[in-house]
Amino acid sequence: MKVTLFAAVWALAGGLLTACDEEIQVGSIDEGTYETSTELLGYIINSEGRQSMATVEFRNTGTTQLYLGLSKAAKQDVAGKFKYDKSVLEAYNKANETTFEAFPEELVKFAGDGAVAVTKGESKSAGVDVTFNTKESLKQDATYVIPVRAEISAGGVQLPDDVSGYLIFVKDLTKLPSCDKSTGIKIISCMEVNDTNPLNNLCFTLKESGKPLIDIVILFSANINYNVETGRVYVYNNPNVQHLLDNREKYLKPLQDRGMKVVLGILGNHDRSGIARLADNTAREFARELKNVCDAYHLDGIFFDDEYSEDHPPITPGFVKDSYEAAARLVYETKRAMPDKLTCAYVYGMTSNFRSPVDGVQAGDFVDYGIHDYGSGFDLAGNYPGMPKSRMALYSQEFNRGYIAPASELKNMRDNGYGAHMIFAMDPNRSNFRWTQKPALENIAKMLFDDELVYNWKPQPKDW
């Protein structure tokens, strides 16, 4: 069976590891949707079940684990080796028109010299630690790549060149503060920036740890728009969003300097374009534009929300009828275009269910966070196969309308190992701050982090 880098290499497991808080349980493999081969095929997988590539953020020293996985149980002992191989990255950069730099080989160490083995009757090896260290000469804002190649020396495993590589995208955060808190749960603040200054996210810290309460800030929202004259879709920023981007040194960089991620929301805008109605080639082109926007304004990713698009029949070339598959394709192409950035999907509309693989790749490989609509808290493994609980945001709250999560829901989320929680429309300048928003934030600090909220009483007004 012929396999390619972005299809079969990802087809047997899932996702993107971002993390200072690595999941230690190896992801399961769902082969139900793929053809059965008589050959024994090999692939590389990490501790979250992510194939082909992963992203790891580290401070001073980082470690991730790689495994050799097989498409079925081995009929004899299998032996091989993981090694640093720059040609893997060179091939990726050429295929995707990217310019990622290789992480210095002298800073990388493979445990046991990279030796890996699968025992007869098993389908997965023990983990091999890949350890890497910082160096003063590393650029603070750069994403580097550790290129890994697997080689098989015994056991009859088929591992062609185009599926034997693995890319570990590494971000050295040694020189930056960390938002990481005791339980590892991430707090996502989705900001209605037409009304609110994003600097308000700096107003809240935790008493014992001193950490910022917020981990990820979503600028809500830019739009996907349709240009009638050119027939193309493009990113439209309303004056409020554009002002923040143009003045990122004032409004966005201070958030990132505290360790927060800043993500741009993408929303429909009442025309024929939409997150869920782009043909494959159109999705690929739009994903490249999203990458250009993230690169230009030093953003950390994209949040996809399938709302407010309108039907304008007939369906023209470059577009398709709204579908979950089209929405999943756009997120997939965005992850391909910028694997070092976050891709977040709102569990609403056509972005709520990516059960079908894209080019053989399950959703857990290309969706970093599934973010529930207000009040919902069911497990998202069925919506985004391969997504670990650490990437599921449950029981979202809406502070403007007063949709507040009770302590019992927050406790349930934490006790069951879910790793993210979203608040929408937080603004200490609103009249309900003292009686609704602040108690809700205090509840988050207490229930999710066993800590006490500290508010600096310095709300930032919208000053543009």
Side-chain angles (χ1 to χ4, degrees):
M1 179 173 64
K2 178 66 175 176
V3 284
T4 60
L5 179 63
F6 279 96
V9 159
W10 277 1
L12 302 172
L16 178 85
L17 170 68
T18 63
C20 302
D21 55 340
E22 291 186 32
E23 190 82 18
I24 60 174
Q25 194 168 19
V26 176
S28 60
I29 300 168
D30 178 10
E31 297 183 8
T33 57
Y34 308 105
E35 294 181 29
T36 300
S37 172
T38 57
E39 298 176 332
L40 182 59
L41 301 176
Y43 56 92
I44 307 173
I45 189 173
N46 79 345
S47 57
E48 270 196 339
R50 308 295 178 100
Q51 278 192 254
S52 180
M53 60 180 64
T55 297
V56 181
E57 296 177 345
F58 75 102
R59 288 178 166 81
N60 297 312
T61 298
T63 301
T64 191
Q65 283 191 319
L66 296 181
Y67 302 76
L68 177 63
L70 304 179
S71 58
K72 52 189 175 182
K75 294 183 178 180
Q76 57 182 306
D77 289 345
V78 176
K81 182 176 183 178
F82 294 140
K83 68 175 186 177
Y84 185 104
D85 186 344
K86 200 171 182 179
S87 69
V88 178
L89 176 58
E90 291 170 349
Y92 178 85
N93 277 335
K94 182 178 180 180
N96 294 278
E97 300 179 358
T98 51
T99 57
F100 288 107
E101 294 183 46
F103 193 80
E105 183 175 2
E106 66 271 17
L107 302 180
V108 181
K109 181 179 180 180
F110 293 86
D113 199 31
V116 62
V118 181
T119 305
K120 178 182 177 181
E122 300 293 328
S123 59
K124 184 177 82 266
S125 72
V128 174
D129 285 345
V130 183
T131 305
F132 33 95
N133 300 303
T134 190
K135 187 177 183 179
E136 186 63 32
S137 60
L138 293 178
K139 291 175 281 190
Q140 178 175 307
D141 297 329
T143 298
Y144 295 91
V145 182
I146 300 173
V148 179
R149 177 82 69 185
E151 294 180 344
I152 302 299
S153 56
V157 174
Q158 297 296 316
L159 196 63
D161 288 345
D162 63 346
V163 298
S164 64
Y166 199 95
L167 300 174
I168 306 171
F169 292 80
V170 292
K171 296 183 178 182
D172 182 3
L173 305 183
T174 304
K175 300 172 185 177
L176 290 175
S178 169
C179 291
D180 295 339
K181 293 171 277 291
S182 58
T183 60
I185 296 172
K186 305 296 184 186
I187 305 301
I188 303 169
S189 176
C190 191
M191 304 293 294
E192 177 50 83
V193 296
N194 288 341
D195 306 318
T196 305
N197 190 328
L199 292 175
N200 281 300
N201 289 284
L202 296 173
C203 294
F204 305 96
T205 55
L206 299 179
K207 183 177 181 180
E208 295 299 322
S209 70
K211 299 282 189 175
L213 178 67
I214 306 303
D215 297 272
I216 300 170
V217 177
I218 297 174
L219 306 178
F220 192 81
S221 182
N223 301 100
I224 177 172
N225 269 35
Y226 176 70
N227 186 315
V228 177
E229 294 181 357
T230 65
R232 297 172 62 89
V233 293
Y234 65 98
V235 176
Y236 169 74
N237 299 317
N238 71 33
N240 293 292
V241 173
Q242 192 62 55
H243 183 86
L244 296 177
L245 297 179
D246 289 341
N247 296 276
R248 70 168 305 276
E249 292 288 328
K250 177 179 179 179
Y251 297 105
L252 307 182
K253 189 174 183 296
L255 305 177
Q256 294 169 320
D257 287 346
R258 289 293 301 276
M260 300 179 195
K261 306 289 188 186
V262 178
V263 170
L264 184 65
I266 294 293
L267 183 69
N269 198 21
H270 308 285
D271 65 16
R272 72 166 63 245
S273 68
I275 289 168
R277 45 177 71 163
L278 305 184
D280 290 359
N281 286 340
T282 310
R284 195 167 298 117
E285 292 175 4
F286 188 64
R288 292 193 186 105
E289 180 165 345
L290 292 175
K291 179 185 187 302
N292 291 338
V293 172
C294 286
D295 289 346
Y297 297 107
H298 304 280
L299 300 173
D300 298 298
I302 299 294
F303 168 69
F304 294 93
D305 182 3
D306 180 37
E307 298 185 75
Y308 304 115
S309 296
E310 297 179 358
D311 288 326
H312 290 270
I315 297 173
T316 56
F319 297 88
V320 295
K321 181 176 175 56
D322 295 65
S323 69
Y324 297 114
E325 290 77 15
R329 167 66 66 178
L330 176 58
V331 182
Y332 168 78
E333 294 294 350
T334 301
K335 176 58 71 179
R336 286 191 64 182
M338 44 182 181
D340 57 326
K341 305 291 187 181
L342 296 176
T343 48
C344 309
Y346 195 40
V347 189
Y348 192 91
M350 296 296 174
T351 51
S352 66
N353 182 348
F354 295 169
R355 292 180 186 175
S356 299
V358 181
D359 291 352
V361 182
Q362 60 183 1
D365 279 336
F366 57 85
V367 181
D368 293 311
Y369 286 97
I371 302 176
H372 261 299
D373 193 19
Y374 312 127
S376 294
F378 58 84
D379 189 284
L380 292 170
N383 297 61
Y384 310 106
M387 177 179 287
K389 287 185 175 182
S390 61
R391 302 297 173 190
M392 300 178 190
L394 274 59
Y395 302 117
S396 297
Q397 306 189 52
E398 212 279 24
F399 283 178
N400 187 33
R401 300 180 184 177
Y403 298 157
I404 304 302
S408 59
E409 290 183 344
L410 298 176
K411 183 179 186 301
N412 177 68
M413 189 190 96
R414 176 178 172 180
D415 289 349
N416 286 283
Y418 294 100
H421 178 68
M422 189 265 274
I423 58 174
F424 180 80
M426 179 273 289
D427 188 345
N429 297 288
R430 287 200 180 100
S431 60
N432 71 348
F433 176 72
R434 286 176 180 266
W435 316 116
T436 301
Q437 297 184 56
K438 187 169 178 286
L441 294 169
E442 290 170 341
N443 222 19
I444 289 172
K446 178 181 178 181
M447 301 308 299
L448 299 185
F449 306 113
D450 300 320
D451 213 328
E452 182 179 337
L453 182 76
V454 176
Y455 173 54
N456 67 6
W457 294 103
K458 296 179 181 178
Q460 300 294 311
K462 181 182 176 183
D463 59 359
W464 65 90

